[in-house]
């Protein structure tokens, strides 16, 4: 009915084309007119190959397709757009196919959102991997000085009476150094937890000779 057509088809944001059995455009809505970029009078009755000339390859791909739903990519006003393409058969009262209905929906915004979500998901997965590696590193860095403290305090507890004064002093100094190292690790973790961007902190070269000297001292 004309009223129903104007209310529903005419106000659709999706582009709608009706083709007869000879692939001529016999009806279209304002959204379809805007997509083609020509007046409706210049499109009606024209072969689809002519009306859709800018998308020749796509017309060839779907010219004999009676029913399909798929995503396509096409240039529109010199911009690449994503569309949901639906082709449905049009039938008469006797169920004979008398043409096809083509509905095209612009899904570019949705595709952009999907890409953004995929990128964000990949970023979060990478961050989770870094967090796992960081957790292992922190556990190792804290366990190392703790192991030394436990070992030294155990030695002092068991052999305190037999140890010379200089050995006791050396063990106590080693315990002090290990606990100070633990305190530095905790301070570094607190600093790292407060940092959201690398540019927010000042960086400086590491003193590698001092670091290696400390490693050799711990190993000894």
């Amino acid at each position: 009915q004309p009223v129903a057509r104007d209310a529903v088809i005419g106000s659709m944001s999706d582009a709608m084309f009706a083709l007869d059995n000879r692939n001529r455009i016999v009806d279209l809505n304002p959204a379809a007119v805007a997509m083609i970029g020509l007046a409706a009078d210049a499109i009606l009755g024209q072969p689809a190959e002519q009306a859709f000339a800018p998308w020749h390859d796509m017309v060839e791909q779907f010219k004999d397709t009676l029913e399909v739903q798929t995503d396509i990519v096409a240039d529109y006003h010199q911009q690449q757009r994503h569309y949901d393409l639906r082709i449905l058969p049009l039938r008469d009262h006797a169920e004979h196919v008398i043409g096809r209905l083509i509905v095209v929906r612009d899904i570019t915004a949705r595709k952009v959102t999907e890409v953004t979500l995929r990128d964000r998901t990949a970023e979060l997965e990478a961050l989770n991997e870094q967090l796992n590696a960081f957790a292992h590193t922190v556990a190792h860095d804290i366990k190392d000085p703790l192991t030394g403290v436990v070992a030294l305090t155990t030695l002092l507890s068991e052999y305190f009476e037999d140890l010379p004064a200089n050995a006791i002093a050396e063990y106590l100094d080693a315990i002090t150094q290990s606990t100070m190292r633990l305190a530095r690790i905790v301070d570094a973790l607190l600093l790292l937890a407060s940092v959201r961007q690398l540019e927010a902190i000042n960086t400086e070269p590491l003193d590698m000779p001092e670091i290696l000297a400390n490693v050799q001292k711990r190993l000894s």
Side-chain angles (χ1 to χ4, degrees), residues 152 156 160 163-177:
L152 291 172
L156 287 174
F160 185 81
L163 289 174
N166 62 334
I168 294 175
E170 182 180 348
Y171 289 172
L172 290 175
D173 180 65
I175 291 173
T176 301
Q177 294 299 322

Side-chain angles (χ1 to χ4, degrees), residues 26-40:
V26 294
D27 198 6
L28 73 167
N29 67 349
V33 173
M35 175 175 288
I36 296 296
L38 298 173

Side-chain angles (χ1 to χ4, degrees), residues 146-159 171-172 175:
L146 275 178
T147 301
V149 170
V150 171
L152 291 172
T153 53
T154 300
L155 286 174
L156 287 174
S157 176
E158 293 182 1
Y159 303 106
Y171 289 172
L172 290 175
I175 291 173

Side-chain angles (χ1 to χ4, degrees), residues 4 16 33 41 55 57 75 98 101 107 109 112 116 142 157 169 208 220:
M16 187 211 74
V33 173
D41 292 341
W55 305 284
D57 293 341
D75 292 332
I98 58 173
L101 182 69
I107 57 172
V112 170
T116 302
I142 291 179
S157 176
M208 291 308 298
S220 65

Side-chain angles (χ1 to χ4, degrees), residues 190-204:
L190 292 174
L191 173 63
L192 186 59
S194 67
V195 173
R196 292 295 177 267
Q197 294 181 341
L198 183 61
E199 294 78 10
I201 60 173
N202 295 323
T203 58
E204 59 185 23

